[in-house]
Amino acid sequence: MRSSVLLAALCLAGALTGCKSRSRLVPDAVSRAADATPALATKLRVTRIEVTARAWSDQAGARPDDHALVVQVRQSLLASNAFELAELDGAETGARLRIDYGVDVVPGAGKDEARLQAAVLVKLRVPDDDEAGLDANVLGERRLDTGEESRMAEFAALLVTRSIGEAVGGLIEKQRVRGGDLHTVLGALAGNDPQLRVVAFATIAERKLGGAVPRLLELLGEEDHRIRDGAIGALVALRASQAIMPLTRLAKFEDLDTMRRVVDAIGSIGGDEARAYLEFVAGGHDEMVISSLAKDALERLNRRASSLAR
């Protein structure tokens, strides 16, 4: 199989996070929160690091030494202060870090120079804890000027080293957000990296960071539906009753997709305001599918209230 096909397969394997370089946090664009939550005291323990070349073009010369790449990754993790490394024999319970990479040589056409392309996919997995997993990936490229083909192996090794460094750096930033204080999490929401925003929304939900509610309510007004949906999901996880009225204002009866999302969210949050709104939609919406969804959400809300009263 051509290495270019394998490179594409690496990118497809990381489709959830996208083959791209990492972006930095934007520390200045942070909303204030009165009850900032302290950073987690424990670092994430890594007990195994595996680096494997999944694709390597014959034209790229000799592959870099995988052990040297593992040493590079170890140094980056230790310097980040977000991870600790146990003996890397897999004997201890901890996270496993797997890095797959590949390199392809794209020949030039006409006046275009040949190009080196590298794809890196990083997967961090914690046994028996799927929610603790993180992914990061990078697609790197270097153009080769005329006469540089003789140094192909050198440039390929440098490109792989740089691309792995960027991918691991992206993973470190995600772990800093996931294990950081509320200020750090809100900084990720304010930044321009969509991958860090996804981690921030998940972190708010998993760690029940109630201090993020004011910012989440502001994000309901965003035009980007991915940001709105992330904010709604986090508000639902927090069971934030403050979100009921903003959600009802967000919903337009003629916008069926939004109505579905809002009805489900309000039903999951619960409370008297939620019950009143669901009763209104169940009895007053022209679309049978929406009124039916409201009735289902109302039934779930009532069942939950009954079980709590027992």
Side-chain angles (χ1 to χ4, degrees):
M1 184 182 294
R2 284 181 52 83
S3 56
S4 59
V5 176
L6 288 173
L7 284 176
L10 279 177
C11 287
L12 287 174
L16 289 179
T17 50
C19 279
K20 56 175 290 185
S21 298
R22 63 191 179 100
S23 300
R24 296 186 178 275
L25 289 173
V26 183
D28 295 331
V30 179
S31 299
R32 298 192 178 194
D35 57 342
T37 303
L40 294 180
T42 58
K43 302 176 184 178
L44 186 60
R45 177 184 293 266
V46 176
T47 57
R48 179 177 295 176
I49 299 175
E50 298 176 358
V51 178
T52 305
R54 295 295 179 184
W56 190 271
S57 172
D58 293 338
Q59 301 175 48
R63 290 197 296 107
D65 178 54
D66 286 344
H67 176 71
L69 295 175
V70 170
V71 171
Q72 171 195 340
V73 173
R74 283 175 56 91
Q75 292 173 342
S76 297
L77 296 181
L78 287 172
S80 73
N81 206 34
F83 296 88
E84 64 178 17
L85 303 183
E87 291 298 323
L88 300 180
D89 57 6
E92 295 189 52
T93 300
R96 312 289 176 85
L97 183 62
R98 181 185 182 90
I99 301 173
D100 294 327
Y101 71 91
V103 164
D104 192 17
V105 179
V106 181
K111 296 182 179 180
D112 294 334
E113 298 90 354
R115 303 189 311 278
L116 278 166
Q117 289 185 337
V120 176
L121 176 60
V122 179
K123 288 182 174 292
L124 183 74
R125 293 293 180 267
V126 178
D128 302 322
D129 190 355
D130 293 337
E131 292 185 352
L134 289 173
D135 294 345
N137 43 61
V138 162
L139 181 62
E141 182 174 285
R142 189 192 193 284
R143 292 186 179 277
L144 296 171
D145 295 331
T146 302
E148 289 188 333
E149 290 82 357
S150 61
R151 301 174 62 189
M152 188 83 75
E154 174 189 350
F155 291 138
L158 288 172
L159 181 60
V160 166
T161 299
R162 185 185 69 195
S163 298
I164 288 178
E166 290 182 355
V168 171
L171 189 81
I172 288 169
E173 286 190 352
K174 290 178 179 181
Q175 178 58 25
R176 282 175 175 159
V177 171
R178 190 172 64 180
D181 58 15
L182 185 58
H183 181 86
T184 301
V185 176
L186 293 178
L189 289 183
N192 59 2
D193 189 327
Q195 297 181 30
L196 288 181
R197 279 200 300 269
V198 170
V199 175
F201 284 131
T203 299
I204 291 169
E206 291 165 9
R207 291 172 51 196
K208 308 300 182 189
L209 300 182
V213 168
R215 180 56 180 153
L216 294 174
L217 295 177
E218 292 175 0
L219 294 178
L220 293 179
E222 286 287 331
E223 292 185 4
D224 189 331
H225 71 89
R226 294 168 298 181
I227 296 177
R228 287 199 312 271
D229 286 349
I232 291 172
L235 288 165
V236 168
L238 294 172
R239 295 286 175 85
S241 59
Q242 308 97 303
I244 298 297
M245 289 307 296
L247 285 171
T248 63
R249 290 193 293 269
L250 179 66
K252 307 296 182 185
F253 266 31
E254 67 276 8
D255 185 348
L256 298 185
D257 289 337
T258 303
M259 281 296 300
R260 290 188 184 95
R261 187 79 171 99
V262 167
V263 163
D264 183 65
I266 288 177
S268 298
I269 293 172
D272 292 338
E273 286 183 311
R275 180 175 289 102
Y277 179 76
L278 293 175
E279 289 174 347
F280 170 69
V281 175
H285 202 284
D286 294 334
E287 290 289 340
M288 183 176 298
V289 63
I290 299 298
S291 61
S292 178
L293 285 173
K295 290 175 184 177
D296 291 343
L298 191 58
E299 289 177 3
R300 291 196 303 272
L301 190 157
N302 289 333
R303 284 198 301 270
R304 188 167 70 241
S306 297
S307 64
L308 291 174
R310 291 173 185 171

